[in-house]
Amino acid sequence: MSLTTHFPLCFLFSLFQMQFMLLFSRQGKLRLQKWYVPLSDKEKKKITRELVQTVLARKPKMCSFLEWRDLKIVYKRYASLYFCCAIEDQDNELITLEIIHRYVELLDKYFGSVCELDIIFNFEKAYFILDEFLLGGEAQETSKKNVLKAIEQADLLQEVRHRMKSK
Amino acid sequence: MSDVVEKTLTALPSLLSLDSQPGSAKLSSTSKLGNLIRGITELTSKHEEEKLIQRELASIKEQVSSPNTSMRQMKELMVRAIYCESLGYEASFSYIHAIKLAQQGTVLEKRVGYLAVSLFLNESHELLLLLVNTVLKDLQSTNLIEVCMALTVVSQMFPKDMIPAILPLVEEKLNHPKEIIRRKAVLALYKFYLIAPNQVQHIHNKFRKALCDKDPGVMTASLHIYLQMIQENPEGYKDLTASFVTILKQVVGGKLPMDFNYHSVPAPWLQIQLLRILSLLGKNDQSTSEIMYEVLDESLRRAEMNHNITYAILYECVKCIYTIHPKSDLLEKAAKCIGNFVLSPKINLKYLGLKALTYVVQQDPKLALQHQMTIIECLDHPDLIIKRETLELLFRITNAQNVTVIVEKMLEFLHSNTDDYTTIDLVGKVAELAEKYAPGNEWFIETMNTVFSVGGDMMQPDIPNSFLKLLSEGFDTVEEDRKLRLFAVDSYVSLLQGEPGKLPQRFLQVISWVLGEYSHLREELEPATVMRLLAKLLDMKQTSSETKSWVLLAMTKLVRAGQVFQSAQEVSETYGSSMDTVLRQRAQELQHLSQDCELRARVLPQDAGLEPLEVDSSLSFLDGFVSEALAAGAAPYKPPHQRQEELAQAKALSLEPYGLSLPISMSSCSIADRQSPTLLSMSSGLSGDSTDLSHKGSSTTLKLDGVKRVWGREGYLAQREAVEEAAQVEVPSPLRSPSQQAEADSSHSQTPTPTPTPEPDQEKQQLASSLFFGLSSQSSVCLMGKSEPTPQRFRRKAKGQASSSGAAEQISNSLVSAPSAVDNFLCNNLLDSNITSQVGISSSEQTSELSQGPATTNGTCDTEAESTDGDIKGSNPSLIIGDNGLVAADPTPHKDPGSPKDFCLSSHLPAELSELCRSEITPLCSNQSLGLSACHVHKEDSLVLVVFITNSSDAAIRQILLDLDSEQLQVSCVSDSPVEDVTSHSVAMHQFSLTVKRPSVHVEVVGMVSYQLPVGTPQEVQFSYKLPLTSFIRPLTVSTEEYGTMWLSFSHDTKQNLTLISDGEEPLTATLNVLKEKLQLHIVEIIGMEGIIACQLLRDQPCLMHCRVHADVLAVWLRSPVPDLPDCLIYHCQRALQEH
């Protein structure tokens, strides 16, 4: 069964577009999910369940890539968190691995030594950063500085407003 | 950094209670979200979690719907709702509030609102429509952050139909002073391009501006669009090659700001994007490729650092070098690069190396030789994905010599594999290889047995189909075919004697079919034995009813031997009362056919599989039925997409936004321009059609044959070939072991670096020699001394009219046709039982007619013609000549008159008509005194029907009155004063002008002539004249722009896939030219893989046609303001291509 058969055919997808990104803990708890292809909730849950199981079963020295249905899964573990992306077979697995790494770098820079708890409690921030970095499944802005600048500008506004309100 | 993260796990419990760790500084310990998360973490059971969340959701629900909740609180609630949803609990009540938050909140609240919307809803969610106005407002905001947010959400999800509403605003943003806005606008347009390409095609020149943007981020973003567009139409962007090369040069040379560096590699994402674009542009294009050699060389040289990111670039570089027109020194460097990957101890790199190798071995199989020992090692790698990729590689280097070893390895993997997807894929590949390269009957049957047992009921259904097709059609000599079938029979009999309960259903079906069809070949095998084995299958409880009906069918074939009558009766009695109607029917068939051997011989002839059957895929034999139904008031058929569209239109809201602060005229007129389908992919523009599916399907299969070796003789390969020739001269002595040969081969195959493989053990060496056998000797000399001109063993016999599209139908047809004929006849006559032998006989006639039905293909025309004959009530029916000639004649009118009769009548044609295109003059009816003939003449703006009345008597005929009528046509008399009298042995002529009222595939005119002979009473003759709709089709000359405007305004459409014609020329052009010639169409423009065609139905009823090549079919989309016209036209297109 092909994943692509579930998509409405009117959508044309780029061959190099990420299909989805999942973040889950070593205990299999989903922390973040971003879907770049339209799928039903049921399908999403099924995919998540299957993938979390498969990835958690992998041994540490194994390849970071997986074949799954007709997609490639690229995953990497950072401390207690697994970052897991699904890409098309024609795509470049190594660059996806580096996309994950760049995202972790961005999180790290923003939260200052990021840990799983930061992501748990501030998941909406993690989403904001992801959206600023990847848009529609493609790398949008690869300059670390620019991504953070965009996020901080929006955050700054928040603080200004807070201060104004408290006055 | 990951160390830092590591510590949190251990710190987790203390963090939760103390809140003092640095990581938690930003958590608000008192927030409700914090409490919720903490609460969840403390719980131990799933049940408790559910209870807690349900409570939480109830409280959120209550608060969000309260009017007193401020937007600020709403924001907080929304975050909690997102959290609950991400745990898998539905919070759909909050969706509408998310939209409201995005609409009414301040910037920050808006941000959460938009986030919630993008997480909760998907592209097709109807609530998204409510977001359109918010997006519109924010796009016009002066606050940059609001504009950014709107653009971000638009690039993630936006209802396709609403794109025109915001497009002008997004376009405007391409000129925004802030680069972040420009970048996001480009990405939003990219997204629009993906979901609705025709809407953004007018802004192509703006994309070029984005490509030249001074900000590298904007430029990078524009490359996404270019990659996509170039993928679809590389020809259109060749002029940009030099620009892309220049950009890549600058990037590689480190000219970009440091910000874009990633681990001190300059803009790697940008580099990779450019390399992908270059490989698309340089593919099969020497001059374009030459422009990029230098920069590719530099990229390879610069990427030296030992980091994943450099390897990612190198991989892309290698792929590019092997895709474009080859250059020997680059290939050498790329090959070396692949070597480094493959030999790397890092498993990720090794994997990528194998993947690259798999990509290039199609063009350069010898590269696999260099790495044979590594490949062997990878075959035993503990990580399955490495094994799997290695098998993929082996699959691509399989030839007649190494097939057995490679298939063995693949089967080995299959036996240990648990993943269904892999099984399906691999089983298909094994079947493909077995069919292509099988070294012998025995091996082939045994391999296929494994395929069927392992593949089970998951595998692609075309595997058993093509296997049975192969068996039934035969491939080589009669003797070989017989042997193969015999072997299959033997093998299956012994399988059934074993434990048939373990075999998958599909396999049992194949077995039943083969035994039914061919067990008579084994003379010493008693039909009773086979019958008993089959009966055993029926008794097993795991046998599905589908399999049972295959078994019953096989039994029906077996009873021809006669001795097994008794057991057949028993079986048919058992299943004659089955609840399953199909089974019951099969049982009935078995019963009746076992009693009537004459009928059986006719219905199920032995070796029937050999006779090719043709299928009328257009189902034209149903035309009569359809028109009857239509006449009886049934609604005309509409394809699903059209139905959906109409449904959507019927209930849709007005989608034009109100209060849009831009001039309406501008937005609406630009919409019209945009949707012109001229350039871009149509099939992606609207609801899905089969084209996409078939395209997808075909892309998964490997196209192994026909892969061109890209480079010419003077290229890199030339050197190698020279070396090989030297190797081939020294014919190995028979004593030399295969492993030595392999060594010899590898030593000859010019390794750039000495292969640093350690001395492998004997076993591996042997495996290597068998795996890579034949790779080095591919060119001519065969080391085994047995020259094999045809490496493909089971070559299908060329069939008479086997068209490429027909193949699939023929497969199923050859399998099913016989039973289906029986089906019909049983449905009609036998099911209600009480059959006397008389009924049997009469029905057997019908059966034979039915089974002939498909053989005469499009037989409808003939039968229709017969029925028209029946309408003619002339006084001497025996003289009536049917109008078959006209109906079946090709739609192109004859220019030169054929028969002498035609000639003498044609001389009566008025001068202004005789020069024009016309049909043959066809006799309609005649009697002793008078004959009627007719033809139709194609005038530029009308169709003229000319009826000739020949007086064949010796007396004058008077008071002739000719009256024509038609359901589908408007008939008007052209002649001013119609001739009423015809003197003896002369000809009178009537002209009528015809126009179409209601399109139909064929249209018919019924007429009546009344006349008076000198003696006797007034007489009447009736006749009918049938002509194809194509006679009314004329080319419609429009420009591409006009076409675009017209396309939009037409409401009736149809889509279909047609067969492409490929005789030498470019298939699209060839096919369109055939259509143009035969159907009088006007080709407006052909761009790349697409073409647009226009025609009109007399008068002034346009029909537009958009064609696009998809894999090997032509996807055609027709539109017209006239109902039914597209459907009729597509029918004629099909016919025209079939007849070609």
Side-chain angles (χ1 to χ4, degrees), chain B residues 398-446:
Chain B
T398 311
N399 54 37
Q401 276 93 42
N402 60 15
V403 64
T404 43
V405 197
I406 290 181
V407 165
E408 190 192 313
K409 285 282 159 199
M410 288 168 114
L411 292 179
E412 222 170 77
F413 184 88
L414 269 175
H415 281 300
S416 61
N417 174 61
T418 51
D419 172 42
D420 290 352
Y421 194 87
T422 314
T423 305
I424 296 170
D425 183 59
L426 222 48
V427 154
K429 284 180 173 152
V430 172
E432 190 186 325
L433 291 180
E435 205 175 286
K436 251 192 198 153
Y437 302 115
N441 291 334
E442 206 167 316
W443 183 90
F444 177 63
I445 296 292
E446 270 165 11

Side-chain angles (χ1 to χ4, degrees), chain B residues 608-785:
Chain B
L610 288 175
E611 285 157 30
L613 282 152
E614 279 176 43
V615 178
D616 179 8
S617 59
S618 62
L619 302 182
S620 59
F621 52 87
L622 286 174
D623 287 351
F625 175 78
V626 170
S627 54
E628 253 172 51
L630 285 175
Y637 173 76
K638 283 175 192 153
H641 61 89
Q642 194 182 335
R643 264 177 279 159
Q644 268 168 9
E645 226 169 66
E646 281 175 16
L647 211 63
Q649 275 166 10
K651 68 173 181 188
L653 303 163
S654 161
L655 295 179
E656 284 302 315
Y658 313 113
L660 184 58
S661 62
L662 53 122
I664 292 295
S665 59
M666 173 190 158
S667 72
S668 58
C669 77
S670 50
I671 296 167
D673 284 351
R674 250 163 243 147
Q675 289 181 340
S676 151
T678 45
L679 250 174
L680 299 157
S681 139
M682 217 28 132
S683 47
S684 57
L686 238 157
S687 63
D689 59 0
S690 54
T691 336
D692 289 3
L693 261 182
S694 65
H695 186 60
K696 287 240 159 72
S698 65
S699 67
T700 57
T701 59
L702 240 184
K703 290 186 191 88
L704 202 67
D705 26 32
V707 174
K708 265 190 277 176
R709 311 189 68 185
V710 209
W711 51 87
R713 293 210 144 255
E714 61 284 349
Y716 180 50
L717 193 69
Q719 306 168 9
R720 291 193 167 182
E721 269 170 4
V723 179
E724 271 154 38
E725 272 159 33
Q728 285 151 9
V729 175
E730 40 159 348
V731 179
S733 78
L735 286 174
R736 239 170 133 189
S737 77
S739 62
Q740 280 170 316
Q741 274 172 22
E743 271 174 354
D745 291 341
S746 59
S747 65
H748 280 297
S749 58
Q750 259 208 3
T751 31
T753 48
T755 336
T757 350
E759 192 61 52
D761 56 335
Q762 190 63 25
E763 197 184 325
K764 281 187 175 168
Q765 272 285 17
Q766 251 161 17
L767 180 58
S769 66
S770 45
L771 274 179
F772 300 97
F773 202 69
L775 276 188
S776 55
S777 58
Q778 244 186 4
S779 35
S780 61
V781 179
C782 195
L783 291 174
M784 283 166 87

Side-chain angles (χ1 to χ4, degrees), chain A residues 10 34 63-64 69-70 72 89 91-93 98 105 111 115 117-118 132 138 141 145 155 158, chain B residues 8 15 23 26 108 111 156 183-184 190 259 262-263 276 312 316 348 351 355 383 421 684:
Chain A
C10 51
K34 190 79 196 180
C63 197
S64 304
R69 297 200 192 167
D70 56 351
K72 280 283 164 59
D89 188 47
D91 210 338
N92 184 328
E93 286 87 353
E98 295 314 297
E105 281 181 2
F111 287 108
C115 68
L117 284 180
D118 291 320
E132 215 48 54
E138 313 263 9
E141 177 57 79
K145 198 179 83 190
D155 283 353
Q158 182 167 27
Chain B
T8 56
L15 268 176
K26 287 183 287 295
L108 285 153
R111 184 155 76 144
Q156 298 189 62
R183 191 183 71 217
K184 282 181 191 277
Y190 167 62
D259 286 349
Y262 176 82
H263 294 259
R276 284 170 177 166
E316 219 60 54
N348 289 347
Y351 173 80
K355 195 174 159 185
D383 198 343
Y421 194 87
S684 57

Side-chain angles (χ1 to χ4, degrees), chain A:
Chain A
M1 187 181 45
S2 150
L3 188 66
T4 40
T5 56
H6 301 292
F7 304 146
L9 287 171
C10 51
F11 294 106
L12 189 101
F13 287 99
S14 157
L15 285 178
F16 306 109
Q17 185 195 336
M18 190 181 289
Q19 312 270 310
F20 54 82
M21 185 186 228
L22 302 176
L23 260 71
F24 51 87
S25 72
R26 222 164 49 168
Q27 289 79 29
K29 289 253 188 258
L30 195 61
R31 296 301 181 206
L32 217 66
Q33 51 177 333
K34 190 79 196 180
W35 303 84
Y36 297 110
V37 288
L39 291 170
S40 72
D41 284 346
K42 207 173 139 206
E43 192 69 25
K44 286 180 190 171
K45 275 184 196 166
K46 190 166 167 255
I47 292 173
T48 312
R49 202 173 46 238
E50 272 181 44
L51 270 185
V52 168
Q53 245 172 30
T54 321
V55 171
L56 287 180
R58 308 266 305 165
K59 297 190 186 76
K61 289 283 170 213
M62 281 181 150
C63 197
S64 304
F65 318 133
L66 269 186
E67 242 167 61
W68 183 79
R69 297 200 192 167
D70 56 351
L71 295 177
K72 280 283 164 59
I73 306 295
V74 176
Y75 71 92
K76 188 157 188 196
R77 188 181 148 186
Y78 288 89
S80 56
L81 266 188
Y82 283 89
F83 290 69
C84 172
C85 297
I87 54 169
E88 295 274 358
D89 188 47
Q90 291 90 332
D91 210 338
N92 184 328
E93 286 87 353
L94 279 182
I95 198 78
T96 312
L97 214 50
E98 295 314 297
I99 283 184
I100 294 178
H101 190 75
R102 172 46 59 105
Y103 180 47
V104 176
E105 281 181 2
L106 287 168
L107 290 173
D108 192 56
K109 186 105 184 188
Y110 179 81
F111 287 108
S113 313
V114 69
C115 68
E116 192 185 340
L117 284 180
D118 291 320
I119 295 170
I120 298 176
F121 284 94
N122 298 290
F123 62 87
E124 80 276 20
K125 298 272 168 53
Y127 277 122
F128 291 144
I129 295 171
L130 186 60
D131 284 349
E132 215 48 54
F133 172 46
L134 290 178
L135 198 49
E138 313 263 9
Q140 174 195 184
E141 177 57 79
T142 55
S143 148
K144 190 150 67 171
K145 198 179 83 190
N146 288 353
V147 173
L148 292 172
K149 207 164 76 188
I151 296 289
E152 273 153 16
Q153 267 172 355
D155 283 353
L156 211 63
L157 211 76
Q158 182 167 27
E159 276 156 38
V160 170
R161 205 167 291 264
H162 273 278
R163 244 174 278 144
M164 278 166 61
K165 271 192 184 158
S166 54
K167 266 175 198 169

